[in-house]
Amino acid sequence: MTFVNIISAIGNNKSIYPLLVRDCGIENPVKVAMTYNQNKEDKKIAWLATRERILDEYSVSGVWLGTIPLIDKAGGALMRKVKGLNADVNLKLFAEDDNYNKNLATFEARRNKGLRAKKPEIVQGFEYNIQKFKNVTGAEEAVKDMINVKNNKKLFNGLMNTKFIASVVLPIALMGWVIPKLIFASSAKKKMEAYRKESELAKLNTNFGSSSTKSFDQFVRGNQNLTSFQGGLTSFLTGLTTVQKMAVTDGGYAAGRISTARNKNEAADIGIKMAGMMFLNYIAPQWIEKGLNLITDVSLDPKMLVDKRFLASIKYDHLDLPKSDSASDLLTFIDSKPNSTFTQAAKKAGKIVFLKDKNGKELNIRDPRAYVDVEDLGKFRKQVESFAKKAKNSGNVAKYAKKSLGLRSVTILANIALSSFLLAYCLPKAQFLFREWFTGSKLDPGLVDNSKAKKNKAA
């Protein structure tokens, strides 16, 4: 993968790649080191806390980044094989039909009363797409999939809901309940082993202190049993993207971690951590990106900035764009000019989906099963138009594009660096400060005796 492709991947805050870089490459190693440093006053606690952090962070990362895409893919394949239903059919298309029918009824009611009204327009929808693409050569299978879903709508909804629940509830259960309980049980076992060694040494008149022995014993007695998991999520979320599902999963993960905390102090400590993590993973990077893009005035994907066809179309005034940002103009342009520079750029940017034949070769036909976010596509058109005007007015399109690529690369890397710094350093620091204020101790509240922490705070 080239440098531009890497920058493009980690710069897309709607994909899992920035999360992967921040989570596994930067955040986890820094948090492990900081955990040891925070608990270093007690070497035994420091070792156990660091061990827990390593097991926790990397096992959760594996589930978080891998389970949802895997279950989505496996569930879709199972639906196709067993019931002949294609999970690529987007349920949002039904909503488009429903909204059109409601608006049409309102229009007719107003017209019958002699009131002024504008007739609603439909540019995509389930039934609309079937009628539009049913006679298009190459779209036969896609239309067949849609008709099959239409004839088995209740079954399809049920299967899609089940697939969503499996792809979200399973990782929530693993990350929020199973993994922490296994780690707690493992730590309890390690502490029991240490307690036994201390007891044996105590008999030989080598004492390590009654307070630590008491702490070990209380911890072991309090963490012997695993708890069960119960939960469920409503099916209306089936249209979420992988990253959006990961955000939902993190909400359940947070609830699970708080409910499985070993004491109230640990529950509060985890609550601060999880709230900050969700904000810094899903909201802050998008805010940072918008701010940096305003400063540099460059927002296009790096791959577009090195696309020779795109740059040549600007240089020689051949760039053809939809007439406006209206849904009608956008989709009419896409469907009538599939080979245009804009359409191809929108496809590469993931704004639209094209059909493929049985051999995997891409066709010049928009996939009628896919929903098009026309608002997002309209923003993309504005970005392309703005860049084209500035590049042309610069007098040297290639030089302007090269400069823009440099600025865009810097903003993407700066976003990763800043959001990673906030996640890996600032959030743990804030958590540790809260911990010390709330519990009166710097030590991990799940690994120390509660009564001892309260005495420290009172003192």
Side-chain angles (χ1 to χ4, degrees), residues 106-123:
T106 300
F107 163 75
E108 291 176 346
R110 289 182 62 85
R111 189 177 61 177
N112 290 337
K113 292 179 180 180
L115 300 174
R116 184 179 298 176
K118 183 179 179 181
K119 187 174 182 179
E121 184 181 40
I122 184 169
V123 295

Side-chain angles (χ1 to χ4, degrees), residues 118-173:
K118 183 179 179 181
K119 187 174 182 179
E121 184 181 40
I122 184 169
V123 295
Q124 65 175 332
F126 202 88
E127 190 62 40
Y128 177 85
N129 281 9
I130 288 176
Q131 297 302 319
K132 180 175 180 176
F133 289 91
K134 66 180 181 180
N135 296 320
V136 177
T137 303
E140 295 88 355
E141 286 298 318
V143 172
K144 183 179 178 182
D145 286 337
M146 297 183 74
I147 293 174
N148 193 21
V149 167
K150 179 183 175 181
N151 294 335
N152 298 276
K153 186 178 178 180
K154 187 175 181 180
L155 174 62
F156 183 75
N157 281 335
L159 291 173
M160 289 291 284
N161 291 343
T162 301
K163 183 167 75 75
F164 168 79
I165 291 171
S167 66
V168 172
V169 172
L170 179 58
I172 286 176

Side-chain angles (χ1 to χ4, degrees), residues 217-242:
D217 188 38
Q218 288 180 341
F219 178 86
V220 171
R221 287 202 306 266
N223 292 276
Q224 291 297 310
N225 299 316
L226 302 182
T227 59
S228 60
F229 155 73
Q230 289 183 348
L233 293 172
T234 53
S235 61
F236 75 94
L237 297 170
T238 54
L240 296 180
T241 64
T242 296

Side-chain angles (χ1 to χ4, degrees), residues 45 48 52 180-181 183-192 212-225 262-263 266 444-450:
I45 296 295
L48 281 171
E52 282 196 354
K181 283 298 183 179
I183 291 173
F184 295 164
S186 176
S187 291
K189 183 179 179 181
K190 292 292 181 184
K191 295 191 81 170
M192 176 65 84
S212 61
T213 301
K214 180 182 178 183
S215 175
F216 280 5
D217 188 38
Q218 288 180 341
F219 178 86
V220 171
R221 287 202 306 266
N223 292 276
Q224 291 297 310
N225 299 316
R262 288 165 284 197
N263 53 58
E266 187 178 40
D444 190 313
L447 293 168
V448 297
D449 181 10
N450 246 358

Side-chain angles (χ1 to χ4, degrees), residues 331-403:
L331 291 187
T332 298
F333 183 93
I334 293 291
D335 292 336
S336 62
K337 299 181 179 181
N339 289 315
S340 70
T341 303
F342 175 79
T343 300
Q344 292 298 309
K347 180 194 69 178
K348 290 177 183 177
K351 310 297 181 184
I352 51 174
V353 180
F354 275 32
L355 291 171
K356 294 181 180 180
D357 62 19
K358 294 180 179 179
N359 298 319
K361 182 180 178 181
E362 195 166 81
L363 304 173
N364 289 329
I365 306 169
R366 178 166 60 89
D367 191 342
R369 300 166 299 190
Y371 173 81
V372 179
D373 186 339
V374 290
E375 183 178 350
D376 188 44
L377 185 60
K379 290 179 181 178
F380 179 70
R381 180 199 170 280
K382 286 181 179 178
Q383 291 171 354
V384 173
E385 184 179 43
S386 175
F387 175 84
K389 287 180 179 178
K390 291 171 184 175
K392 185 68 176 177
N393 292 337
S394 72
N396 190 324
V397 174
K399 186 176 180 179
Y400 184 84
K402 186 176 181 180
K403 179 184 177 182

Side-chain angles (χ1 to χ4, degrees), residues 10 16-32 57-58 61-62 64-65 281 416-417 420-421 423-424:
I10 64 175
I16 69 170
Y17 296 110
L19 297 172
L20 180 64
V21 172
R22 287 197 300 264
D23 192 66
C24 295
I26 301 173
E27 183 185 351
N28 289 356
V30 174
K31 281 185 175 179
V32 169
E57 294 294 342
Y58 284 100
S61 293
W64 185 53
L65 293 166
N281 259 328
I416 289 291
S420 296
F421 174 71
L423 269 168

